[in-house]
Amino acid sequence: AFIAATFFWQASDPDGNSTLKSVEMRINDGDWTEIDRSQNLISFLADTSVQSGTASAQIYYGNSTAAASNTINGLRVNDSNRIYIRSTDIADAVSDIDTSNSFYFRAKSSGTKILWISGHNSATTAEYRGYIDANNLNYDFLNFGFAQGLNLPKYFDPTVRLIFDQYEQAFLNLPSTNFRNTVTGDEKPLIDSLAPIIQRFSDNGGRYFLTTQLTKTQDLS
């Protein structure tokens, strides 16, 4: 995970889901934090001023552009993490704790204003890196083209949108190749998934330079 991490969760009760009173999450050894039990998609945006150690994180529900009023602590920056979740019903019975897979959380580089996203293979990506480095630009890098999209986030919105919000400029080099979204099952070029995020980034004053390939058979709508 990079800057933002998004999770989908579900809870049920044998006596009926209406008997659930609260749902709480904890990151590593942090405090249990009550979350909105009506919101199954939750994102954590770490304090970008923290480069190592533990950090607090803002909470975003669904595709909301506004952070929740509370925060969650315990996130380990540039380290491995786990998310824990439990529920309580109206009889105050507490569920067993469910646990996420371990994930590494990478921090935003301090003071960096440029985000670079590559959707190409290693050879083409290396060529673009040469152009960028020759101009002595400082950037954070997301390699979406690695292993045919192995690094793609499950949710472009909100995950990638929250990442873009942390930068002033972006460079994107994208192929015409279709990438499969593991959540929706859609197969489409990266420009299709990123277009709404790039538009919002531009509307908010961000500047970007984009290269992409378009084929004769591609739907340009």
Side-chain angles (χ1 to χ4, degrees):
F2 175 60
I3 297 181
T6 302
F7 298 87
F8 182 85
W9 64 271
Q10 286 180 303
S12 60
D13 192 302
D15 299 321
N17 295 347
S18 61
T19 65
L20 289 173
K21 184 172 70 173
S22 64
V23 175
E24 296 173 298
M25 279 189 172
R26 186 182 78 191
I27 305 179
N28 301 314
D29 299 320
D31 298 320
W32 284 106
T33 301
E34 185 170 348
I35 63 172
D36 187 342
R37 67 181 187 275
S38 68
Q39 298 284 347
N40 298 108
L41 191 68
I42 185 170
S43 299
F44 302 119
L45 176 67
D47 181 349
T48 55
S49 66
V50 178
Q51 296 295 294
S52 64
T54 58
S56 63
Q58 291 180 305
I59 298 172
Y60 287 80
Y61 294 115
N63 303 116
S64 175
T65 57
S69 57
N70 59 332
T71 59
I72 191 168
N73 57 25
L75 185 69
R76 297 175 187 148
V77 176
N78 288 325
D79 203 345
S80 296
N81 294 265
R82 285 188 189 273
I83 304 290
Y84 301 91
I85 186 170
R86 69 184 183 186
S87 59
T88 303
D89 68 9
I90 57 176
D92 289 329
V94 182
S95 71
D96 292 336
I97 296 173
D98 199 2
T99 310
S100 75
N101 292 329
S102 175
F103 65 97
Y104 189 88
F105 191 91
R106 181 162 64 99
K108 178 183 184 293
S109 299
S110 179
T112 302
K113 298 180 180 180
I114 300 174
L115 175 66
W116 171 30
I117 294 179
S118 175
H120 285 283
N121 58 31
S122 57
T124 305
T125 297
E127 186 176 355
Y128 277 108
R129 187 186 296 276
Y131 301 147
I132 298 173
D133 291 347
N135 286 276
N136 299 313
L137 299 175
N138 295 319
Y139 54 86
D140 280 332
F141 176 51
L142 285 176
N143 191 358
F144 284 174
F146 174 74
Q148 296 181 319
L150 183 65
N151 288 343
L152 285 180
K154 293 182 182 297
Y155 303 96
F156 276 81
D157 189 4
T159 314
V160 181
R161 173 175 55 78
L162 290 171
I163 293 172
F164 264 79
D165 286 346
Q166 312 311 309
Y167 296 89
E168 297 178 11
Q169 301 173 33
F171 170 56
L172 306 96
N173 57 279
L174 310 175
S176 59
T177 311
N178 284 338
F179 289 81
R180 187 176 186 275
N181 185 300
T182 57
V183 174
T184 65
D186 292 340
E187 293 193 14
K188 54 188 179 182
L190 287 175
I191 185 66
D192 213 31
S193 299
L194 287 166
I197 296 167
I198 297 169
Q199 182 66 62
R200 182 178 182 275
F201 179 68
S202 179
D203 290 344
N204 290 338
R207 300 168 61 194
Y208 69 93
F209 185 82
L210 182 148
T211 70
T212 191
Q213 294 173 311
L214 303 173
T215 65
K216 292 180 179 180
T217 59
Q218 195 167 330
D219 180 6
L220 301 182
S221 60

